[in-house]
Coordinates of all heavy atoms in Angstrom, one line a residue:
F300 N 8.3 -11.7 -13.9 CA 9.7 -12.0 -13.9 C 9.9 -13.2 -12.9 O 10.7 -14.1 -13.2 CB 10.5 -10.8 -13.4 CG 11.0 -9.9 -14.5 CD1 10.1 -9.0 -15.1 CD2 12.3 -10.0 -15.0 CE1 10.5 -8.2 -16.1 CE2 12.7 -9.2 -16.0 CZ 11.8 -8.3 -16.6
E301 N 9.1 -13.2 -11.8 CA 9.3 -14.3 -10.8 C 8.9 -15.6 -11.4 O 9.4 -16.7 -11.0 CB 8.4 -14.0 -9.6 CG 9.0 -12.9 -8.7 CD 8.1 -12.5 -7.6 OE1 6.9 -13.0 -7.6 OE2 8.5 -11.7 -6.7
R302 N 7.9 -15.6 -12.3 CA 7.5 -16.9 -13.0 C 8.7 -17.5 -13.8 O 8.8 -18.7 -14.0 CB 6.4 -16.7 -13.9 CG 5.1 -16.3 -13.2 CD 3.9 -16.4 -14.2 NE 2.7 -15.8 -13.6 CZ 2.2 -14.6 -13.9 NH1 2.9 -13.8 -14.7 NH2 1.1 -14.1 -13.3
H303 N 9.6 -16.6 -14.2 CA 10.8 -17.1 -14.9 C 12.0 -17.2 -14.0 O 13.2 -17.3 -14.4 CB 11.1 -16.1 -16.1 CG 10.1 -16.1 -17.1 ND1 10.0 -17.1 -18.1 CD2 9.0 -15.3 -17.3 CE1 8.9 -16.8 -18.9 NE2 8.3 -15.7 -18.5
K304 N 11.7 -17.1 -12.7 CA 12.8 -17.2 -11.6 C 13.8 -16.2 -11.8 O 15.0 -16.4 -11.6 CB 13.4 -18.6 -11.7 CG 12.5 -19.8 -11.4 CD 13.1 -21.1 -11.4 CE 12.1 -22.2 -11.1 NZ 12.8 -23.6 -11.1
I305 N 13.4 -15.0 -12.1 CA 14.3 -13.8 -12.2 C 13.8 -12.8 -11.1 O 12.7 -12.4 -11.0 CB 14.2 -13.1 -13.6 CG1 14.6 -14.1 -14.7 CG2 15.0 -11.9 -13.6 CD1 14.4 -13.5 -16.0
D306 N 14.8 -12.5 -10.2 CA 14.5 -11.5 -9.1 C 14.4 -10.1 -9.7 O 15.3 -9.7 -10.4 CB 15.6 -11.6 -8.1 CG 15.5 -12.9 -7.3 OD1 14.4 -13.5 -7.2 OD2 16.6 -13.4 -6.8
L307 N 13.4 -9.4 -9.3 CA 13.2 -8.0 -9.8 C 12.7 -7.2 -8.6 O 11.7 -7.6 -7.9 CB 12.2 -8.0 -10.9 CG 11.9 -6.5 -11.4 CD1 13.1 -5.9 -12.1 CD2 10.7 -6.6 -12.4
L308 N 13.3 -6.1 -8.4 CA 12.9 -5.2 -7.3 C 12.5 -3.8 -7.9 O 13.4 -3.0 -8.1 CB 14.0 -5.0 -6.3 CG 13.7 -4.1 -5.1 CD1 12.5 -4.6 -4.3 CD2 14.9 -3.9 -4.2
P309 N 11.2 -3.6 -8.1 CA 10.8 -2.3 -8.7 C 11.0 -1.2 -7.6 O 10.6 -1.4 -6.5 CB 9.3 -2.5 -9.1 CG 9.1 -4.0 -9.0 CD 10.1 -4.5 -8.0
I310 N 11.4 -0.1 -8.1 CA 11.6 1.1 -7.2 C 10.9 2.3 -7.9 O 11.2 2.6 -9.0 CB 13.0 1.4 -6.9 CG1 13.7 0.3 -6.2 CG2 13.1 2.7 -6.0 CD1 15.2 0.5 -6.0
I311 N 10.0 3.0 -7.2 CA 9.3 4.2 -7.7 C 9.8 5.4 -6.9 O 9.6 5.4 -5.6 CB 7.8 4.0 -7.7 CG1 7.4 2.8 -8.5 CG2 7.1 5.3 -8.1 CD1 5.9 2.5 -8.4
F312 N 10.3 6.4 -7.5 CA 10.8 7.6 -6.8 C 9.6 8.6 -6.9 O 9.2 9.0 -8.0 CB 12.0 8.2 -7.5 CG 13.3 7.3 -7.2 CD1 13.6 6.3 -8.1 CD2 14.0 7.6 -6.1 CE1 14.8 5.6 -7.8 CE2 15.2 6.8 -5.8 CZ 15.5 5.8 -6.7
L313 N 9.2 9.1 -5.7 CA 8.1 10.1 -5.7 C 8.6 11.3 -4.8 O 9.3 11.1 -3.9 CB 6.9 9.5 -5.0 CG 6.1 8.4 -5.8 CD1 5.0 7.9 -4.9 CD2 5.6 8.9 -7.1
R314 N 8.2 12.5 -5.3 CA 8.5 13.6 -4.5 C 7.7 13.5 -3.1 O 6.6 12.9 -3.1 CB 8.0 14.9 -5.2 CG 8.9 16.1 -5.0 CD 8.5 17.2 -5.9 NE 7.1 17.7 -5.7 CZ 6.4 18.4 -6.5 NH1 7.0 18.8 -7.7 NH2 5.2 18.8 -6.2
N315 N 8.3 13.9 -2.0 CA 7.8 13.7 -0.7 C 6.3 14.1 -0.6 O 5.5 13.4 0.0 CB 8.7 14.3 0.3 CG 8.5 13.6 1.7 OD1 7.4 13.2 2.1 ND2 9.6 13.4 2.4
D316 N 6.0 15.3 -1.1 CA 4.7 15.9 -0.9 C 3.7 15.1 -1.7 O 2.5 14.9 -1.2 CB 4.6 17.4 -1.3 CG 5.1 17.6 -2.7 OD1 6.2 17.0 -3.1 OD2 4.5 18.3 -3.5
V317 N 4.1 14.6 -2.8 CA 3.2 13.7 -3.6 C 2.9 12.4 -2.9 O 1.8 11.9 -2.9 CB 3.8 13.5 -5.0 CG1 2.9 12.5 -5.9 CG2 4.0 14.8 -5.8
Y318 N 4.0 11.9 -2.3 CA 3.8 10.6 -1.6 C 2.9 10.8 -0.4 O 2.0 9.9 -0.1 CB 5.2 10.1 -1.0 CG 5.1 8.9 -0.1 CD1 4.9 7.7 -0.7 CD2 5.2 9.1 1.2 CE1 4.8 6.6 0.2 CE2 5.1 8.0 2.1 CZ 4.9 6.7 1.5 OH 4.8 5.6 2.4
E319 N 3.0 11.9 0.3 CA 2.1 12.2 1.4 C 0.6 12.2 1.0 O -0.2 11.7 1.7 CB 2.5 13.5 2.1 CG 3.8 13.5 2.8 CD 3.9 12.5 4.0 OE1 2.8 12.3 4.6 OE2 4.9 12.0 4.3
L320 N 0.4 12.8 -0.1 CA -1.0 12.8 -0.7 C -1.5 11.4 -1.0 O -2.6 11.1 -0.8 CB -1.0 13.7 -1.9 CG -0.9 15.2 -1.7 CD1 -0.9 16.0 -3.0 CD2 -2.1 15.7 -0.9
L321 N -0.6 10.6 -1.6 CA -0.9 9.3 -1.9 C -1.3 8.5 -0.7 O -2.2 7.7 -0.7 CB 0.3 8.6 -2.7 CG 0.1 7.1 -3.0 CD1 -1.0 7.0 -4.1 CD2 1.4 6.5 -3.5
V322 N -0.5 8.6 0.4 CA -0.7 7.9 1.6 C -2.0 8.3 2.2 O -2.8 7.4 2.7 CB 0.4 8.2 2.6 CG1 0.1 7.6 4.0 CG2 1.7 7.5 2.1
V323 N -2.3 9.6 2.2 CA -3.6 10.1 2.8 C -4.8 9.5 2.1 O -5.8 9.1 2.7 CB -3.6 11.6 2.8 CG1 -5.0 12.1 3.1 CG2 -2.6 12.2 3.7
E324 N -4.7 9.3 0.8 CA -5.8 8.8 0.0 C -5.8 7.3 -0.2 O -6.6 6.8 -1.0 CB -5.9 9.5 -1.3 CG -6.0 11.0 -1.2 CD -7.3 11.5 -0.6 OE1 -8.3 10.7 -0.8 OE2 -7.4 12.5 0.0
S325 N -4.9 6.6 0.4 CA -4.8 5.1 0.1 C -5.3 4.3 1.3 O -4.8 4.5 2.5 CB -3.3 4.7 -0.2 OG -2.9 5.3 -1.3
P326 N -6.2 3.4 1.1 CA -6.7 2.6 2.2 C -5.6 1.5 2.7 O -5.6 1.2 3.9 CB -7.9 1.9 1.6 CG -7.6 1.9 0.1 CD -6.9 3.1 -0.1
D327 N -4.8 1.1 1.8 CA -3.8 0.1 2.2 C -2.4 0.7 2.2 O -1.4 0.3 1.6 CB -3.8 -1.1 1.2 CG -3.6 -0.6 -0.3 OD1 -3.7 0.6 -0.5 OD2 -3.3 -1.5 -1.1
R328 N -2.3 1.8 3.0 CA -1.1 2.6 3.0 C 0.2 1.9 3.5 O 1.3 2.4 3.3 CB -1.3 3.9 3.8 CG -1.7 3.7 5.2 CD -2.0 5.0 5.9 NE -3.1 5.7 5.3 CZ -4.4 5.6 5.7 NH1 -4.7 4.8 6.7 NH2 -5.3 6.2 5.1
Q329 N 0.0 0.8 4.2 CA 1.2 0.1 4.8 C 1.7 -1.0 3.9 O 2.6 -1.8 4.3 CB 0.9 -0.4 6.2 CG 0.5 0.7 7.2 CD 1.6 1.7 7.4 OE1 2.7 1.4 7.4 NE2 1.2 2.9 7.7
K330 N 1.1 -1.2 2.8 CA 1.3 -2.4 1.9 C 2.7 -2.2 1.2 O 3.4 -3.3 1.0 CB 0.2 -2.5 0.9 CG 0.3 -3.8 0.1 CD -1.0 -4.0 -0.7 CE -1.0 -5.4 -1.4 NZ -2.2 -5.6 -2.2
E331 N 3.1 -1.0 0.9 CA 4.4 -0.8 0.2 C 5.5 -0.4 1.1 O 5.3 0.4 2.0 CB 4.2 0.2 -0.9 CG 3.1 -0.1 -1.9 CD 3.4 -1.3 -2.8 OE1 4.6 -1.7 -2.9 OE2 2.5 -1.9 -3.3
A332 N 6.7 -1.0 0.9 CA 7.8 -0.5 1.7 C 8.3 0.8 1.2 O 8.2 1.1 0.0 CB 8.9 -1.5 1.6
K333 N 8.8 1.7 2.1 CA 9.2 3.0 1.7 C 10.6 3.3 2.3 O 11.0 2.8 3.4 CB 8.2 4.1 2.1 CG 8.2 4.3 3.6 CD 7.3 5.5 4.0 CE 7.3 5.7 5.5 NZ 6.5 6.9 5.9
V334 N 11.4 4.1 1.6 CA 12.6 4.6 2.1 C 12.7 6.1 1.9 O 12.5 6.5 0.8 CB 13.8 3.9 1.4 CG1 15.1 4.5 1.9 CG2 13.8 2.4 1.6
L335 N 12.9 6.9 2.9 CA 12.9 8.3 2.8 C 14.3 8.8 2.4 O 15.3 8.3 2.9 CB 12.6 9.0 4.1 CG 11.1 8.8 4.7 CD1 11.0 9.4 6.0 CD2 10.1 9.3 3.7
L336 N 14.3 9.7 1.4 CA 15.6 10.2 0.9 C 15.7 11.7 1.3 O 16.5 12.4 0.6 CB 15.6 10.1 -0.7 CG 15.5 8.6 -1.2 CD1 15.6 8.7 -2.7 CD2 16.6 7.8 -0.7
D337 N 15.0 12.1 2.3 CA 15.1 13.5 2.7 C 16.5 13.7 3.4 O 17.1 12.8 4.0 CB 14.0 13.8 3.8 CG 12.6 13.8 3.2 OD1 12.5 14.2 2.0 OD2 11.7 13.3 3.8
W338 N 17.0 15.0 3.3 CA 18.2 15.4 3.8 C 18.0 16.3 5.0 O 17.4 17.3 4.9 CB 19.1 16.1 2.7 CG 19.4 15.2 1.6 CD1 18.6 14.8 0.6 CD2 20.6 14.5 1.3 NE1 19.2 14.0 -0.3 CE2 20.5 13.8 0.1 CE3 21.9 14.5 2.0 CZ2 21.5 13.1 -0.4 CZ3 22.9 13.8 1.4 CH2 22.7 13.0 0.2
T339 N 18.6 15.9 6.1 CA 18.4 16.7 7.4 C 19.7 17.0 8.0 O 19.8 17.8 8.9 CB 17.5 15.9 8.4 OG1 18.2 14.7 8.7 CG2 16.1 15.7 7.8
D340 N 20.8 16.4 7.6 CA 22.1 16.6 8.2 C 23.0 17.4 7.3 O 23.4 16.9 6.2 CB 22.7 15.2 8.5 CG 24.0 15.3 9.3 OD1 24.5 16.4 9.5 OD2 24.5 14.2 9.7
P341 N 23.4 18.6 7.7 CA 24.4 19.4 6.9 C 25.7 18.7 6.6 O 26.3 18.9 5.6 CB 24.6 20.6 7.7 CG 23.4 20.7 8.6 CD 23.0 19.3 8.9
D342 N 26.1 17.8 7.5 CA 27.4 17.1 7.3 C 27.3 16.2 6.1 O 28.3 16.0 5.4 CB 27.8 16.3 8.6 CG 28.2 17.2 9.7 OD1 28.6 18.3 9.4 OD2 28.1 16.7 10.9
L343 N 26.1 15.6 5.8 CA 26.0 14.8 4.6 C 26.1 15.7 3.3 O 26.7 15.2 2.3 CB 24.7 14.1 4.6 CG 24.5 13.0 5.7 CD1 23.1 12.4 5.6 CD2 25.5 11.9 5.5
L344 N 25.6 16.9 3.4 CA 25.8 17.8 2.2 C 27.2 18.2 2.1 O 27.7 18.3 0.9 CB 24.9 19.0 2.4 CG 23.4 18.8 2.4 CD1 22.6 20.1 2.7 CD2 22.9 18.1 1.1
R345 N 27.9 18.4 3.2 CA 29.4 18.6 3.1 C 30.1 17.5 2.4 O 31.0 17.7 1.6 CB 29.9 18.8 4.5 CG 29.6 20.1 5.2 CD 30.2 20.1 6.6 NE 29.9 21.3 7.3 CZ 30.7 22.4 7.3 NH1 31.8 22.4 6.6 NH2 30.3 23.5 7.9

């Protein structure tokens, strides 16, 4: 897409436990940006 000057931001959603397994087994674990979607605040659920 970038060759055609089109911005594209791929996002992959992974279950947290699956992601942890991926990180443990990946040599370049810091290469990808991550955003955690875990919920820890009851007020957000409210």
Side-chain angles (χ1 to χ4, degrees):
F300 272 78
E301 286 174 351
R302 292 192 190 101
H303 296 279
K304 297 183 180 180
I305 299 175
D306 292 331
L307 177 70
L308 180 62
I310 300 175
I311 299 175
F312 289 90
L313 293 176
R314 216 170 63 194
N315 204 320
D316 55 315
V317 177
Y318 174 77
E319 292 294 333
L320 288 174
L321 178 68
V322 169
V323 169
E324 300 295 333
S325 296
D327 54 348
R328 58 183 62 92
Q329 300 299 329
K330 192 170 183 179
E331 303 294 339
K333 69 173 182 178
V334 176
L335 294 178
L336 300 179
D337 294 323
W338 297 77
T339 59
D340 187 353
D342 288 337
L343 291 178
L344 294 178
R345 285 177 181 270

